[in-house]
Amino acid sequence: MNKFNKIIKNEEGSMTLLWIGVLGGMMVLFLFVLNLSKVLAVKEHANTTSQQASFAATSVIYDNLSPSISSYDNYILSLNLDPLPKLLSEKIAEMESSIRSNPRYRDYSSNEISLEAMDRAITSELSGGFEPELLKNLLESALQSAVPTMISVARDTIAENKGNIDEAKIRLKDNRIYIRASNDFNATAYDKYIKGFRKKLFQESAGPEIGFLSSLTLGISDNWIPLGDEEITWEDND
C-alpha cells in the first residue's frame, strides 16, 4: 500500500510539473501575441504621427499663399486696364465652385476642395496667366520664408502625438512634404523568456501633392533633413 501511495504521489507531482510547464508556455505565448499586437498598434500610431505632421507642414504652404495672391491681384488692379483681366482670386473661387459640383470629389472635405482649387488655379496662372513671372517671384519669396514655420509645425505635431523629434526627418520631394517619425514600443517582459526592451518604430508619410511647386525654384534640397537639429539648413547644395 505504501508503495502504491508513493506511485500516486509521484504521478501527482509529475502532473503538477506538467501543468506548470503548460501554464508557463501559455504565458509565453500570450505575451508574444500581446507584444505583437503592441508592435502593430505602435506602428499605426507612428504612421498617424508622420501623416499628421506631413499634412500640417503642407498646410503651412497654403496658409502662406494669401498675401502673394492679394499682391498679384492688386498689381493687376493698379494697371487700370479695360477690360479688367480676371483676378487670380476669382479664378480660384470659380475653380472651387466647379470642383464642388463635380461628383468625382464628393468624398473630399471642404478644406481639401479649397486646397485643390487653389493648386489648380495657381498652376494654370503660372503656365500662362496674366503675369506668371511676377506670381512666380511672389510665391517663391513667400514659401522660402515659410520654411521655419513648416519645420516648427512638423515638430509640434510629432510632439503632440508623443512621437520622437530627435530622429524625425522632413523633406520636400515630388511636390510633397514627407515626414519620417517614430513612436516608442515598450515590450512586456516575462522572467528570462521574454526580455523587456524599448524600440523606436518608424513610419514615413507624405502630404498631398502641391502641383504648382513644379513651376517654382525654391532652392530646397530633396534630401532628408533632421528635425531634431537646433538649426536646420534646408538648401539645395547640389
Side-chain angles (χ1 to χ4, degrees), residues 59-69 139 142-143 145-146 149-150:
S59 294
V60 171
I61 291 179
Y62 285 100
D63 291 343
N64 281 269
L65 294 181
S66 294
S68 298
I69 294 170
L139 292 174
L143 297 185
S145 300
T149 305
M150 290 167 56

